[in-house]
């Protein structure tokens, strides 16, 4: 007789990616590195922001870049002039970086340098507002850029990016006098989705607002090093994935834990 | 698009399950739950599934996708509401931000239907 049976799985579709992200995160934590995942649509100013950041912080912090948005080899060269290692990832035609691609970059860092010497890894994600925020790569925080030339309604149209971000940079503020754009409306639209993230208007061209961004970066590093709670509990996404993981999860008690988001609230002030 | 990668992960997961079954039963249906507040397009997923399962142990298996709506809970108002995706996420009554999402973020392989002869 032909009979149909049911097997309950209840496994998150992203669990393979999440396993890789946990692997990456374990490396970062072992080496006491803070990792920021920098995302935006193409041309919002990620590479230029990283240049300014490397330039301003190189005396204080040892920084490496994992570059997943290479338009040409010129991008990497621009970043290399500040003395930081720039590890270019071949993303093929992928619309986002996944944890496996970033693992390739991390293992290169481990192979070519002494990773424990680094304080900060900046990951420049593929230029795309749709999906990179959905794929954890092991970062401690997500940074999203929105340039003021993109319009006020982008946060509403690409809500997951703006909801998941821990820091939102409104970029190219120097262009504000030439555009008919309402910055307060951009902020209000972001706030509908994300009441806690830091929202920082900046211009990489004039330097406006960049000090606040550097302070935010520095605060993430300080918070990551603070041994008050296990670093693995940090991250707004942790809960989402933990509750969706298969029953074979190593620590079932973790499923009931609230994610620790105090540090994001603090970064806001 | 990333639906291709997700389908790869889906097939790997089902394969792990299938390998653990002594009978290696034919898989008839795979049930997914996909929230509307995710970056996954069910149509693209269906297409990728059809292409990538050809000539595999899943050839002919049906992918059944149940979509779940975006539902948020407003704590000041103590009530649920359904945000207008793309237009407005704040609570329609009091304007509080959307903070507590009760449905719509799911991306889950729910269950597998398989056949056994006896
Ligand atoms: N006016 C102005 N242009 C900027 C600013 N930041 C970046 N750009 C320009 O925007 C373009 C794209 O920048 P890029 O950093 O390559 O963007 P990415 O694709 O996000 O990495 C370049 O032509 C930059 O010079 C800014 O603050 N002000
Ligand atoms: Mg770039
Ligand atoms: Zn993608
Ligand atoms: Zn490793
Ligand atoms: Zn309300």
């Amino acid at each position: 007789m032909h009979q149909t049976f049911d097997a309950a799985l209840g496994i998150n579709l992203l669990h393979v990616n999440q396993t890789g992200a946990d692997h990456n995160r374990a490396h970062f934590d072992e080496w006491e590195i803070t990792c920021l995942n920098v995302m935006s649509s193409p041309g919002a100013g990620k590479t230029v922001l990283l240049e300014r950041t490397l330039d301003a912080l190189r005396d204080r912090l040892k920084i490496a870049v994992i570059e997943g948005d290479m338009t040409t080899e010129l991008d990497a060269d621009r970043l290399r002039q500040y003395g930081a290692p720039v590890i270019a990832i071949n993303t093929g035609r992928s619309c986002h970086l996944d944890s496996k691609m970033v693992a390739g970059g991390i293992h290169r860092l481990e192979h070519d340098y002494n990773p424990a010497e680094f304080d900060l890894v900046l990951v420049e994600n593929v230029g795309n507002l749709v999906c990179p925020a959905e794929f954890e790569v092991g970062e401690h925080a997500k940074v999203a850029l929105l340039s003021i030339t993109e319009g006020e309604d982008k946060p509403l149209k690409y809500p997951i990016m703006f909801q998941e971000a821990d820091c939102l940079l409104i970029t190219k503020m120097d262009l504000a006098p030439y555009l008919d754009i309402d910055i307060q409306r951009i902020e209000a639209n972001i706030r509908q989705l994300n009441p806690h993230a830091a929202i920082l208007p900046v211009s990489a061209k004039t330097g406006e607002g960049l000090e606040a961004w550097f302070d935010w970066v520095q605060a993430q590093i300080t918070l990551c090093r603070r041994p008050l709670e296990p670093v693995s509990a940090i991250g707004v996404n942790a809960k989402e994935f933990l509750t969706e993981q298969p029953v074979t999860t190593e620590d079932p008690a973790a499923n009931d834990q609230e994610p620790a988001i105090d540090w994001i609230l603090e970064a806001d002030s | 698009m990333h639906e291709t990668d997700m389908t790869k992960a889906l097939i790997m997961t089902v394969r792990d399950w299938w390998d653990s079954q002594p009978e290696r039963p034919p898989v008839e249906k795979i049930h997914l739950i996909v929230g509307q507040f995710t970056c996954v397009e069910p149509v693209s997923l269906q297409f990728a599934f059809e292409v990538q399962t050809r000539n595999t142990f899943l050839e002919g298996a049906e992918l059944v996708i149940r979509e779940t709506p975006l539902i948020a809970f407003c704590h000041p108002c103590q009530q649920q509401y359904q945000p207008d995706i793309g237009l407005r996420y704040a609570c329609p009554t009091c304007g509080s931000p959307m903070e507590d999402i009760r449905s719509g973020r799911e991306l889950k392989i729910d269950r597998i239907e398989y056949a056994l002869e006896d």
Side-chain angles (χ1 to χ4, degrees):
Chain A
M1 204 180 88
H2 179 101
Q3 263 188 299
T4 304
F5 294 85
D6 247 352
L9 261 67
I11 295 175
N12 193 306
L13 251 190
L14 293 170
H15 84 279
V16 176
N17 186 66
Q18 187 56 31
T19 305
D22 293 344
H23 173 102
N24 296 348
R25 182 58 171 270
H27 277 307
F28 290 135
D29 290 345
E30 181 196 343
W31 302 325
E32 293 190 15
I33 288 175
T34 302
C35 175
L36 302 178
N37 187 358
V38 181
M39 299 173 276
S40 78
S41 53
K46 297 183 294 303
T47 306
V48 175
L49 178 79
L50 295 195
E51 279 192 67
R52 294 283 155 279
T53 309
L54 292 175
D55 191 24
L57 300 181
R58 62 176 153 176
D59 296 333
R60 276 185 270 167
L61 299 171
K62 194 147 167 61
I63 308 176
V65 175
I66 293 181
E67 178 55 71
D69 190 40
M70 288 251 297
T71 335
T72 64
E73 190 53 39
L74 287 176
D75 275 355
D77 287 344
R78 262 162 62 198
L79 292 164
R80 282 191 187 108
Q81 60 178 312
Y82 303 97
V86 177
I87 297 164
I89 309 238
N90 183 359
T91 52
R93 267 180 299 173
S94 181
C95 42
H96 60 266
L97 283 179
D98 65 28
S99 57
K100 203 172 160 194
M101 296 173 192
V102 172
I106 294 172
H107 293 148
R108 278 258 300 284
L109 185 74
E110 183 182 23
H111 182 264
D112 296 348
Y113 302 87
N114 174 8
E117 280 178 7
F118 287 85
D119 304 299
L120 178 65
V121 167
L122 297 167
V123 176
E124 180 173 345
N125 215 308
V126 177
N128 179 2
L129 281 179
V130 181
C131 59
E134 196 93 277
F135 293 83
E136 200 108 331
V137 298
E139 71 273 31
H140 295 85
K142 291 181 167 66
V143 177
L145 281 66
L146 176 68
S147 67
I148 61 171
T149 55
E150 292 175 77
E152 292 108 342
D153 61 344
K154 279 292 179 305
L156 305 179
K157 297 279 186 286
Y158 300 95
I160 293 169
M161 175 67 68
F162 293 91
Q163 198 208 21
E164 295 282 338
D166 303 300
C167 181
L168 286 139
L169 295 166
I170 301 177
T171 64
K172 308 194 188 180
M173 284 298 289
D174 57 284
L175 299 177
Y178 312 103
L179 299 167
D180 186 19
I181 186 125
D182 183 348
I183 306 294
Q184 278 176 351
R185 235 182 84 210
I186 298 181
E187 291 198 22
N189 285 342
I190 294 170
R191 284 290 178 234
Q192 284 198 45
L193 290 150
N194 191 331
H196 302 305
I199 300 180
L200 308 174
V202 298
S203 164
K205 191 170 178 187
T206 65
E208 174 192 348
L210 287 182
E211 277 308 320
W213 157 246
F214 301 146
D215 288 348
W216 187 87
V217 172
Q218 189 69 58
Q220 302 316 301
I221 292 169
T222 310
L223 289 160
C224 276
R225 285 184 183 152
R226 195 175 55 181
L228 284 180
E229 55 207 353
V231 188
S232 60
I234 292 179
V236 272
N237 260 350
K239 188 184 171 195
E240 187 78 38
F241 283 109
L242 286 171
T243 51
E244 297 282 36
Q245 265 183 0
V247 280
T248 52
T249 177
E250 284 160 35
D251 177 15
N255 285 356
D256 301 315
Q257 259 173 26
E258 281 298 313
I261 53 166
D262 300 358
W263 60 290
I264 293 163
L265 294 168
E266 277 180 39
D268 208 14
S269 57
Chain B
M1 288 307 279
H2 48 259
E3 279 82 3
T4 311
D5 292 340
M6 286 193 172
T7 304
K8 223 180 277 167
L10 167 68
I11 294 171
M12 271 170 63
T13 307
V14 176
R15 174 94 211 188
D16 282 348
W17 169 84
W18 194 70
D19 283 341
S20 75
Q21 302 298 303
E23 311 91 352
R24 305 285 169 95
V27 173
E28 296 192 331
K29 288 179 187 172
I30 300 171
H31 293 264
L32 294 189
I33 302 177
V34 173
Q36 278 175 348
F37 200 62
T38 65
C39 70
V40 174
E41 275 297 330
V43 178
S44 311
L45 210 54
Q46 283 288 6
F47 179 74
F49 182 81
E50 233 164 81
V51 172
Q52 292 177 54
T53 53
R54 264 174 219 157
N55 303 315
T56 73
F57 75 108
L58 286 176
E59 165 119 49
E62 186 186 344
L63 186 66
V64 184
I65 300 176
R66 179 160 70 83
E67 277 194 87
T68 51
L70 174 60
I71 296 171
F73 185 82
C74 176
H75 285 272
C77 296
Q78 284 294 302
Q79 67 178 14
Q80 286 194 354
Y81 65 99
Q82 220 167 314
D84 260 332
I85 296 179
L87 294 174
R88 185 187 162 91
Y89 303 91
C91 170
T93 311
C94 73
S96 291
M98 176 177 77
E99 268 203 271
D100 189 353
I101 295 178
R102 294 287 166 94
S103 151
R105 289 293 279 141
E106 302 81 2
L107 275 179
K108 197 153 74 174
I109 310 168
D110 186 30
R111 60 194 176 87
I112 295 172
E113 278 183 52
Y114 60 99
L116 278 182
E117 308 289 336
D118 61 15

